[in-house]
Amino acid sequence: MRKNIVAGNWKMNKTFQQAEELVAEVKDLMEEHEIKHTEVIVIPPFPYLEMATDLAQGSPLKVGAQNVSDHDYGAYTGEISAPMLASMEVNYCIVGHSERRKYFREKSKALAEKVKQLLNAGITPIFCCGEDLEKREKGQQEKVVERQISKALFELEPDDFSRMVIAYEPVWAIGTGKNATPEQAQEMHAFIRKIIEGKYGKDISENISILYGGSCNAKNAKSLFKNPDVDGGLIGGASLNAEEFLKVIRGIPA
Ligand code: 13P
């Protein structure tokens, strides 16, 4: 079954104390508003993961990490591995965010390894794809996204692929206040589902969750999430305030 998911990628924001407060607020608001049919995930920086998984225990709130090593253990100073995340009961992990592709030069080969590490450790990868403004202006968005997905993910066996979550995050929409229109989002999500169907068949493509990310907020969430191929969102700025994040979550059709 395709899941509705709203995930808050906090990026490099919040002190420990602020993070603790925000996780607690999100958890309380979910309870108060009886959020049950949407999987809600908070994705704080690494040092706050244990605090977040502790607070989330016994509630439906899930916790994700923003990145993972492409190795499982060893002499890789500063890195965090998938088995380490699993040992802290982390449920999800972002792979291939455009900020990591751009500032840390992450390429498809390493991303494919990260995905395998996560799946082996029982963590659900949230794989990000999306074109930059130049490619959008040239009309090459489908080509870019097809290449990103096929290069990093299409070596996976069908059973493994079916455990993925995909996030379409057009780079020109991230942190710019200029979200994709609901039509643009639907068009790209349907395209992503089509290429997945071509490779893995209809059953898998119909059941995979595809999230939209890029300036998604309390005002536009509803119009984006109502599209048949948009199963929720990967939220940056609007996830840093619990009330605003709740409004985004409530944008999922009842
Ligand atoms: P914004 O919602 O701040 O545009 O960020 C989106 C994003 O990059 C989520 O991963």
Side-chain angles (χ1 to χ4, degrees):
M1 248 307 270
R2 220 194 276 183
K3 255 189 210 169
N4 290 315
I5 299 173
V6 177
N9 174 13
W10 296 4
K11 308 192 181 183
M12 197 175 73
N13 291 295
K14 303 284 179 191
T15 63
F16 181 79
Q17 289 74 17
Q18 291 168 337
E20 209 170 15
E21 209 171 299
L22 182 50
V23 177
E25 281 172 2
V26 171
K27 186 181 132 176
D28 290 349
L29 285 173
M30 279 176 71
E31 211 169 86
E32 198 181 311
H33 294 267
E34 298 183 18
I35 306 292
K36 291 203 183 94
H37 65 289
T38 299
E39 179 105 313
V40 178
I41 311 167
V42 287
I43 311 183
F46 281 133
Y48 308 159
L49 286 172
E50 196 191 355
M51 169 275 288
T53 54
D54 277 356
L55 279 177
Q57 221 174 38
S59 88
L61 179 63
K62 302 286 189 241
V63 176
Q66 296 177 15
N67 185 30
V68 69
S69 171
D70 50 347
H71 299 279
D72 52 1
Y73 66 93
Y76 299 100
T77 302
E79 290 290 275
I80 312 280
S81 73
M84 291 176 184
L85 296 176
S87 72
M88 293 193 301
E89 284 159 53
V90 166
N91 317 101
Y92 290 87
C93 182
I94 298 175
V95 176
H97 192 283
S98 62
E99 287 151 16
R100 295 218 54 95
R101 292 178 192 260
K102 183 175 173 198
Y103 303 129
F104 303 94
R105 298 187 179 78
E106 293 195 356
K107 298 276 184 285
S108 299
K109 196 163 169 274
L111 300 181
E113 283 306 314
K114 290 178 184 220
V115 165
K116 280 185 209 152
Q117 289 285 342
L118 291 167
L119 291 170
N120 284 341
I123 296 171
T124 304
I126 302 176
F127 180 82
C128 300
C129 58
E131 78 287 356
D132 62 19
L133 186 59
E134 191 195 333
K135 293 288 195 294
R136 167 63 66 168
E137 282 174 344
K138 286 187 183 153
Q140 294 175 349
Q141 59 273 17
E142 293 189 347
K143 203 168 130 195
V144 171
V145 164
E146 181 163 17
R147 193 179 307 144
Q148 288 170 333
I149 293 179
S150 61
K151 279 180 99 176
L153 304 180
F154 280 3
E155 297 283 304
L156 291 172
E157 295 297 325
D159 273 2
D160 283 335
F161 187 88
S162 69
R163 292 159 59 204
M164 299 290 308
V165 170
I166 307 287
Y168 169 62
E169 298 207 311
V171 179
W172 48 270
I174 296 177
T176 58
K178 189 177 180 294
N179 60 289
T181 64
E183 295 74 23
Q184 286 172 323
Q186 169 56 28
E187 191 177 71
M188 288 305 288
H189 285 224
F191 172 74
I192 291 168
R193 219 177 283 287
K194 192 179 93 189
I195 58 173
I196 294 173
E197 183 183 339
K199 171 75 184 169
Y200 291 106
K202 205 168 179 69
D203 203 30
I204 287 182
S205 74
E206 277 303 315
N207 280 298
I208 198 154
S209 298
I210 307 178
L211 316 182
Y212 168 78
S215 296
C216 181
N217 56 35
K219 288 204 180 80
N220 58 32
K222 206 169 184 168
S223 62
L224 286 159
F225 298 166
K226 75 169 197 285
N227 290 288
D229 288 301
V230 180
D231 306 308
L234 183 54
I235 318 300
S239 72
L240 296 173
N241 173 285
E243 293 283 352
E244 167 113 17
F245 191 45
L246 175 80
K247 286 185 192 152
V248 174
I249 296 165
R250 297 186 82 188
I252 295 277

